[in-house]
Amino acid sequence: MADERVTFHRDIELRSPILIAAFRGWNDAGDAASFAASHLARTWGAERLASIDPEEFYDFQAVRPHVELVDGITRKISWPSNEFMAARLDGPHDVIVLIGTEPNVRWKTFSSLIVDIASSKGVELVITLGALLADVPHSRPVQITGTAVDPGLIARLGLHRSRYEGPTGIVGVLHDAFSQAGVGSASLWAAVPHYLAITPNPKAAMALVQNASELTDIETDITELEIASAAYEERVSEIVATDEDVQAYVALLEERADERSVEEAIHPSELPSADALAAEVEQFLQQRENGGDG
């Protein structure tokens, strides 16, 4: 593959690879998806395979590059990145992990480049990781929903049919591009508590990692995530305990979560919008001030 927008950093021979992708931005509430993908790449010992030049795909006033000092003296600029990392694993499948940043423009061209890179390495299955804000409590297990469009893939991997209608991110466009290229793809979505500003969310990331491992039948060490998740939940619980209103609201979410059956997963199409979540909190606080349920 020869495209000046793509740089291959090394040539790694891969066996029936699976591509796992996550993008910072709209699809990455609590940085859970990108954190999960980073953990997978690190745990599997993935090496840098390829990268996409950001010049054509970003408005640098919206997604600004960062300046940092390397040795306390030398200044280095870090641009929005889309890095492919590859790992040889025991078993029938190797993996490619893509950790990217949702582009501002030319989504079709951007998705086409990703499909071309995946095709050049013989990718047989694509799994994207995503996280969306939801009215769920931090103190309960993370709700993960797996979706796909292809009936065969749904049956084989035990997923739900994607029935979402509405605005989409680069993940949705990418799935359409792979579908047109004849490559099967699936999405894993984590529901992240909307009342938390603490990032990254290791608990949601761990749930995504566990589900991705089960879906691909590839073992992954989650010890670090287990430790981080326990510390995270303890810290959040301490913060919640300092505010009676937040504590009462979390108790309401816990009650809803406990009433929901184990089999009843939250589908991405059913997740409320940010405005709806904000309105719910406002209504809840108003009801408390009025001393009743309204």
Side-chain angles (χ1 to χ4, degrees):
M1 171 183 171
D3 192 309
E4 60 183 12
R5 296 165 297 192
V6 176
T7 300
F8 276 90
H9 304 284
R10 55 173 48 85
D11 185 21
I12 304 176
E13 197 68 32
L14 300 172
R15 299 160 301 146
S16 304
I18 296 173
L19 171 63
I20 298 177
F23 295 90
R24 304 177 188 90
W26 190 81
N27 314 275
D28 195 21
D31 295 347
S34 56
F35 188 25
S38 296
H39 178 84
L40 289 171
R42 185 175 66 257
T43 302
W44 288 334
E47 299 179 289
R48 194 179 184 206
L49 174 68
S51 57
I52 296 176
D53 190 316
E55 186 70 20
E56 288 189 22
F57 304 107
Y58 298 92
D59 175 355
F60 294 128
Q61 291 182 322
V63 183
R64 292 184 179 273
H66 289 193
V67 176
E68 57 183 319
L69 295 178
V70 177
D71 50 12
I73 301 175
T74 307
R75 290 166 61 86
K76 175 187 175 184
I77 295 181
S78 297
W79 301 90
S81 63
N82 291 279
E83 299 287 340
F84 296 78
M85 290 159 284
R88 296 288 305 270
L89 303 174
D90 295 332
H93 296 285
D94 293 326
V95 292
I96 298 174
V97 180
L98 165 59
I99 303 175
T101 304
E102 184 175 68
N104 302 112
V105 295
R106 299 184 180 89
W107 284 22
K108 290 182 180 180
T109 303
F110 181 82
S111 298
S112 179
L113 286 179
I114 293 176
V115 171
D116 288 344
I117 293 171
S119 298
S120 73
K121 304 307 292 184
V123 166
E124 295 187 351
L125 173 66
V126 178
I127 298 174
T128 60
L129 307 180
L132 293 176
L133 297 176
D135 51 348
V136 294
H138 69 280
S139 52
R140 295 295 185 267
V142 177
Q143 286 280 344
I144 298 289
T145 303
T147 66
V149 175
D150 178 72
L153 200 59
I154 292 171
R156 180 163 64 89
L157 299 180
L159 303 173
H160 296 275
R161 176 175 295 282
S162 179
R163 59 183 185 273
Y164 174 74
E165 294 180 310
T168 189
I170 190 60
V171 164
V173 176
L174 190 59
H175 279 286
D176 182 67
F178 274 110
S179 176
Q180 293 184 34
V183 179
S185 64
S187 268
L188 292 175
W189 291 93
V192 175
H194 69 95
Y195 56 86
L196 296 180
I198 301 174
T199 56
N201 186 321
K203 187 174 180 179
M206 182 172 71
L208 284 170
V209 166
Q210 289 176 305
N211 279 263
S213 298
E214 292 175 6
L215 209 59
T216 59
D217 199 24
I218 300 174
E219 292 186 5
T220 308
D221 186 356
I222 60 169
T223 303
E224 291 181 13
L225 290 176
E226 288 177 326
I227 296 172
S229 296
Y232 167 86
E233 188 165 344
E234 181 179 357
R235 180 186 175 193
V236 172
S237 294
E238 290 175 353
I239 294 173
V240 168
T242 64
D243 189 307
E244 289 186 1
D245 286 333
V246 175
Q247 195 172 9
Y249 181 65
V250 172
L252 173 65
L253 296 182
E254 289 174 338
E255 184 178 336
R256 290 179 186 173
D258 294 340
E259 290 175 352
R260 187 182 297 122
S261 67
V262 177
E263 295 81 10
E264 186 184 352
I266 297 178
H267 193 277
S269 64
E270 299 165 351
L271 294 179
S273 67
D275 290 341
L277 292 171
E280 176 182 300
V281 175
E282 184 177 345
Q283 180 183 22
F284 174 81
L285 294 177
Q286 188 175 22
Q287 289 174 351
R288 276 179 60 81
E289 290 176 1
N290 294 335
D293 295 330

